[in-house]
Amino acid sequence: MQTRKGQSIEDESMEIIEREVGSHPYNKMEWPIVRRIIHATADFDFAGENKIVFHKDAITSGINALKNGCSIIADVNGVIGGLNKQNPKDFGNNLICNISDPDLAERAKQENKTRAQMSMRIAASEMNGGILVIGNAPTALLEVIKMIREGVTKPALVIGIPVGFVSAAESKEELQTVDVPFITNTGRKGGSSCAASIVNALFKLLREN
């Protein structure tokens, strides 16, 4: 739980963001999410038009899934570490990250996949109606897209915001062609802190609406 001093610092940070950004292209449900990303990264580029891309059903689907106690599946432990743990505790959400599974490397090697890809495959059942949160591995996002197209799984929301130079921007473009709710961004930027901040913002919207 946030201390009074911590809350005052966060409130001041949000006021600075509001003041420095000024007008922006996001609606009243999208903007708290974008603002939370900027707060987590101190990167005002995310406020630009079409920098954060929302599927029309993304926020509603994500909030409803969280409210109903869906699983939250992350590509790396850094995403889990960035979540406010009180939220999943209050709503009964199971946090899943398989990247450190001791058997994962061998299974990935056998199937000629990366560990990130394999970690998505073994979480297929938990993904149904769940929220996928990918902040680090473009291969994980591409694998999820493939799984959705195969009919293996159907998440309530895919948060795909991996950072990097190899396939990061391309995986986000590909996500926008899939018929599932998504939140993503354009370009190479992203990361675990961005991904976690989106989930935290969705929980905050859930509590406020």
Side-chain angles (χ1 to χ4, degrees):
M1 182 175 286
Q2 188 84 283
T3 64
R4 188 161 53 183
K5 178 68 173 176
Q7 188 61 55
S8 70
I9 292 171
E10 180 177 312
D11 291 344
E12 185 178 355
S13 297
M14 293 302 183
E15 289 171 9
I16 291 169
I17 293 168
E18 292 280 358
R19 188 165 62 246
E20 294 198 17
V21 170
S23 62
H24 55 76
Y26 300 101
N27 67 37
K28 66 178 183 178
M29 295 294 279
E30 295 169 349
W31 174 239
I33 295 172
V34 177
R35 186 177 60 189
R36 181 66 59 177
I37 295 170
I38 296 169
H39 178 256
T41 62
D43 189 342
F44 283 88
D45 281 355
F46 287 112
E49 188 168 4
N50 296 324
K51 283 294 183 179
I52 305 296
V53 185
F54 294 86
H55 181 279
K56 62 181 178 63
D57 299 322
I59 297 173
T60 301
S61 185
I63 288 174
N64 287 340
L66 292 174
K67 184 179 180 180
N68 292 328
C70 75
S71 292
I72 300 170
I73 302 97
D75 62 332
V76 291
N77 292 313
V79 171
I80 301 293
L83 298 179
N84 179 333
K85 301 305 188 300
Q86 191 62 43
N87 288 322
K89 182 178 178 182
D90 288 349
F91 291 96
N93 310 100
N94 189 24
L95 303 179
I96 299 168
C97 181
N98 295 316
I99 198 69
S100 299
D101 186 320
D103 299 324
L104 196 69
E106 186 58 34
R107 292 183 63 178
K109 187 176 179 181
Q110 290 172 358
E111 297 195 27
N112 195 30
K113 295 181 183 292
T114 66
R115 286 192 306 142
Q117 285 176 294
M118 202 69 227
S119 73
M120 296 295 107
R121 282 284 166 181
I122 65 175
S125 60
E126 289 96 344
M127 285 183 196
N128 283 319
I131 295 181
L132 264 291
V133 194
I134 298 173
N136 186 262
T139 56
L141 181 53
L142 289 168
E143 192 71 14
V144 168
I145 292 167
K146 186 177 179 184
M147 291 165 66
I148 292 167
R149 287 181 171 151
E150 291 171 353
V152 172
T153 192
K154 190 168 185 180
L157 175 65
V158 178
I159 297 170
I161 196 162
V163 63
F165 297 100
V166 179
S167 300
E170 293 83 354
S171 66
K172 297 166 191 175
E173 291 173 7
E174 193 69 18
L175 176 59
Q176 296 174 55
T177 69
V178 178
D179 188 26
V180 294
F182 62 79
I183 300 173
T184 188
N185 72 307
T186 57
R188 294 169 170 173
K189 291 184 179 181
S192 297
S193 60
C194 291
S197 69
I198 294 171
V199 179
N200 290 334
L202 286 170
F203 271 118
K204 189 169 177 60
L205 287 169
L206 168 56
R207 291 183 183 276
E208 292 174 348
N209 290 279

